[in-house]
């Protein structure tokens, strides 16, 4: 089974990439690895773990993925923390801190045996970060994996979280800009997509075309798409404005398709704001998708002519990678990890405003040859830089670096 899985990836990335992974994993055989985040569905972190965990297992590591659960109040606090860490001032009270720590304490009771025994613990984002302070008997290496843009955090919240993060052996950020002064090694590992998932695999042509009738779209009009949670950092209102502006000059239809993540209580509110903005515009379609609509997201991305990701802040932007992989040029907000992926004028365009986005929409819809050429480059760029196999290689290297720092010697060389 595991060999079969590796072979399926090999068909896409080639044998050298898979051999390299096996060489690295050889030194980590049976290592107990635990990943912890706060949701199994919705959002980029869960997407990555769904692919990363079986691949690590296929390479011989003993991996478990746990999520911490919590009441609404807990997720309200952590959503506030998330916003604050991305630069949005919030009210961060003693009561919020208590809610946060108490929930972590409660979850720790359940996870304690696993966490104490693990050789490597990857804690994703702030929600479960406090667990480390509750685990003095830990024997493994703990890594804080930060998926968000920490370049300009709201200080009171970062000061609090930093006092927790300093306990980790290392931290991982998606880009150099996101790092903060910390007393341990910081690694830069951009995220990735999995080409084998329902979200990214090839689809039959009729399934792609099927989205037009399914969602009441016009098959003869260019399709401009943004797929994102209903979150203010994704700038849904800016997307609608850009669509409306471009529409004045070029026939097109705009789809904003999103869903809510289980750990995001703000989504409902923003969904209604977006619906209100789209009301009365027949060429603007706002779709609320269930969290498991992976094939639908895939089909929409493949059906689109141009993909937008007009975020105001973005950790990485998996939706960008997904669209580029499907050979679509992306018009992206000039922020965070979008800058790593959208190479201006090559794989898409970086924009700052709805006006800028509208201009680039018109350009790409007008010059079909440019659009297709940029799409081809986009696909190749993802193949070389942003597939799960590269991501996994980085994680394995990091784990080896952490144990070799302990005095162990690791030699990675070709084995027959
Ligand atoms: N996604 C989805 N349905 C939606 C909205 C998003 O399946 O309605 C997926 C999207 O395809 C991507 C992930 O959720 O794989 C979002 O990751 P990204 O890094 O773009 O943003 P995040 O939500 O983590 O801020």
């Amino acid at each position: 089974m595991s060999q079969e899985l590796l072979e399926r990836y090999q068909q896409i990335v080639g044998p050298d990439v898979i051999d390299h992974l096996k060489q690295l994993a050889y030194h980590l055989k049976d290592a107990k690895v635990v990943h912890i985040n706060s949701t199994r569905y919705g959002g980029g972190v869960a997407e990555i773990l769904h692919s990363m965990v079986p691949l690590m297992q296929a390479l011989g590591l003993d991996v478990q993925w746990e999520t911490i659960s919590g009441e609404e109040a807990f997720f309200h606090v952590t959503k506030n923390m998330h916003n604050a860490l991305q630069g949005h001032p919030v009210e961060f009270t003693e009561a919020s801190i208590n809610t946060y720590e108490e929930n972590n304490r409660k979850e720790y009771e359940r996870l304690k045996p696993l966490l104490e025994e693990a050789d490597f613990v990857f804690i994703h984002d702030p929600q479960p970060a406090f667990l480390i302070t509750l685990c003095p008997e830990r024997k493994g290496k703990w890594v804080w994996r930060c998926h968000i843009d920490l370049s300009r955090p709201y200080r009171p919240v970062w000061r609090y979280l930093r006092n927790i993060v300093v306990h980790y052996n290392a931290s991982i950020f998606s880009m150099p800009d996101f790092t903060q002064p910390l007393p341990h090694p910081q690694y830069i590992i951009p995220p990735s997509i999995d080409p084998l998932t329902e979200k990214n695999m090839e689809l039959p042509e009729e399934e792609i075309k099927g989205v037009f009738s399914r969602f009441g779209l016009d098959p003869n009009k260019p399709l401009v798409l943004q797929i994102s949670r209903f979150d203010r950092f994704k700038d849904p209102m800016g997307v609608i404005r850009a669509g409306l502006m471009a529409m004045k000059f070029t026939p097109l239809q705009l789809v904003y398709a999103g869903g809510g993540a289980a750990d995001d209580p703000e989504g409902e509110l923003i969904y209604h704001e977006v619906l209100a903005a789209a009301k009365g515009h027949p060429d603007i379609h706002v779709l609320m998708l269930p969290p498991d609509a992976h094939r639908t997201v895939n089909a929409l991305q493949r059906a689109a002519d141009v993909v937008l990701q007009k975020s105001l802040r973005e950790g990485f932007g998996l939706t960008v990678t997904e669209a580029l992989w499907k050979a679509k040029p992306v018009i992206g907000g000039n922020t965070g990890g979008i800058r790593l992926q959208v190479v201006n004028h090559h794989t898409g365009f970086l924009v700052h405003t709805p006006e800028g986005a509208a201009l680039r929409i018109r350009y790409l819809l007008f010059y079909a040859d440019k659009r297709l050429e940029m799409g081809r480059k986009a696909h190749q760029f993802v193949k070389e830089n942003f597939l799960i196999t590269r991501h996994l290689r980085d994680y394995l290297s990091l784990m080896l670096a952490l144990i070799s720092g302990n005095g162990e010697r690791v030699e990675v060389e070709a084995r027959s």
Side-chain angles (χ1 to χ4, degrees):
M1 167 63 202
S2 56
Q3 199 50 38
E4 226 176 86
L5 184 68
L6 294 175
E7 269 161 27
R8 290 178 64 209
Y9 285 100
Q10 183 160 321
Q11 281 170 14
I12 295 171
V13 297
D16 290 354
V17 170
I18 301 299
D19 280 352
H20 189 192
L21 290 177
K22 287 180 181 166
Q23 282 163 20
L24 292 168
Y26 173 78
H27 301 276
L28 294 163
K29 197 165 159 26
D30 298 325
K32 289 194 178 68
V33 182
V34 181
H35 285 276
I36 303 205
N37 78 322
S38 63
T39 178
R40 266 187 203 276
Y41 300 99
V45 181
E47 288 275 318
I48 290 168
L49 287 174
H50 273 293
S51 304
M52 179 68 82
V53 169
L55 251 175
M56 278 188 167
Q57 288 165 338
L59 287 165
L61 284 72
D62 176 1
V63 190
Q64 300 206 45
W65 171 16
E66 294 287 336
T67 58
I68 58 161
S69 51
E71 305 284 319
E72 209 182 317
F74 171 70
F75 287 118
H76 183 76
V77 170
T78 56
K79 179 71 192 185
N80 260 345
M81 287 171 81
H82 178 100
N83 287 344
L85 294 169
Q86 299 210 107
H88 204 72
V90 299
E91 213 187 334
F92 193 58
T93 59
E94 273 304 309
S96 316
I97 292 175
N98 279 341
T99 305
Y100 172 71
E101 294 184 358
E102 268 316 304
N103 196 77
N104 268 269
R105 246 178 227 113
K106 198 176 102 227
E107 291 296 293
Y108 179 69
E109 286 315 310
R110 180 171 62 82
L111 298 167
K112 185 174 176 203
L114 198 64
L115 293 177
E116 282 185 345
E117 284 310 304
D119 298 306
F120 296 93
V121 177
F122 288 87
I123 298 283
H124 296 262
D125 285 339
Q127 296 93 332
F130 191 68
L131 290 174
I132 192 167
T133 66
L134 307 170
C135 192
E137 304 293 311
R138 61 186 182 275
K139 72 175 183 61
K141 302 287 182 191
W142 285 53
V143 180
W144 186 56
R145 200 325 173 199
C146 176
H147 294 267
I148 55 188
D149 176 350
L150 207 60
S151 51
R152 279 171 294 167
Y154 175 59
R155 286 284 151 190
V157 174
W158 172 237
R159 257 198 306 276
Y160 167 76
L161 186 64
R162 187 181 183 281
N163 278 334
I164 299 169
V165 171
V166 294
H167 293 282
Y168 285 80
N169 298 99
S171 45
I172 305 176
F173 295 88
S174 295
M175 293 182 57
D177 294 6
F178 296 177
T179 58
Q180 286 285 338
L182 286 166
H184 58 222
Q186 300 185 50
Y187 292 82
I188 307 299
I189 304 186
S192 61
I193 58 164
D194 183 343
L196 295 182
T197 55
E198 293 208 310
K199 176 76 57 70
N200 296 308
M201 67 193 207
E202 304 268 346
L203 292 179
E205 202 52 34
E206 60 272 24
E207 188 170 346
I208 300 169
K209 298 254 161 63
V211 298
F212 289 97
S213 55
R214 244 176 100 190
F215 296 113
L217 305 175
D218 181 347
N220 300 312
K221 235 182 221 177
L223 175 58
V224 178
L225 171 75
Q226 175 156 319
I227 303 237
S228 293
R229 288 180 295 106
F230 291 93
D231 179 309
R232 68 178 83 261
F233 288 121
K234 309 289 183 187
D235 198 18
M237 304 302 264
V239 169
I240 307 254
R241 275 189 57 203
L244 287 172
M245 269 186 266
M247 256 172 223
K248 285 193 190 146
F249 304 95
T250 317
L252 66 95
Q253 54 198 332
L254 174 75
V255 171
Y256 189 109
D263 59 353
D264 178 12
E266 227 175 33
E268 185 76 10
L269 191 78
I270 294 175
Y271 171 59
H272 287 287
E273 273 176 34
V274 176
L275 274 187
K279 204 167 170 204
H281 299 288
D283 283 322
I284 299 198
H285 303 262
V286 181
L287 311 179
M288 173 62 104
L289 301 176
D292 58 351
H294 302 304
R295 276 186 96 107
T296 306
V297 168
N298 187 345
L300 280 166
Q301 287 167 331
R302 288 182 191 276
D305 295 286
V306 172
V307 171
L308 297 183
Q309 190 56 54
K310 222 209 88 29
S311 306
L312 303 170
R313 283 291 169 86
E314 191 64 74
F316 182 67
L318 283 172
T319 48
V320 174
T321 336
E322 289 158 11
L324 296 175
W325 177 244
K326 287 149 197 150
K328 308 296 169 179
V330 172
I331 300 172
N334 190 352
T335 182
I338 295 177
R339 287 194 197 127
L340 277 184
Q341 307 185 69
V342 174
V343 183
N344 217 0
H345 296 267
H346 291 280
T347 64
F349 291 106
L350 292 169
V351 297
H352 295 91
T353 58
E355 288 77 5
L359 198 72
R360 295 312 190 182
I361 292 172
R362 289 174 59 201
Y363 176 90
L364 285 172
L365 292 183
F366 190 77
Y367 296 106
D369 52 340
K370 259 295 186 210
R371 191 171 74 231
L372 296 175
E373 187 199 326
M374 286 169 96
R376 275 191 294 274
K377 283 190 193 168
H379 175 78
Q380 190 58 26
F381 193 60
V382 171
K383 185 169 176 184
E384 286 164 15
N385 297 290
F386 299 116
L387 293 185
I388 187 85
T389 36
R390 188 276 308 153
H391 197 170
L392 180 56
R393 185 195 67 205
D394 289 350
Y395 270 34
L396 296 174
S397 306
L398 156 59
M399 289 155 78
L400 290 174
L402 285 176
I403 51 174
S404 60
N406 238 9
E408 278 184 48
R409 206 175 118 158
V410 175
E411 282 176 27
V412 180
E413 59 186 34
R415 289 177 303 111
S416 53

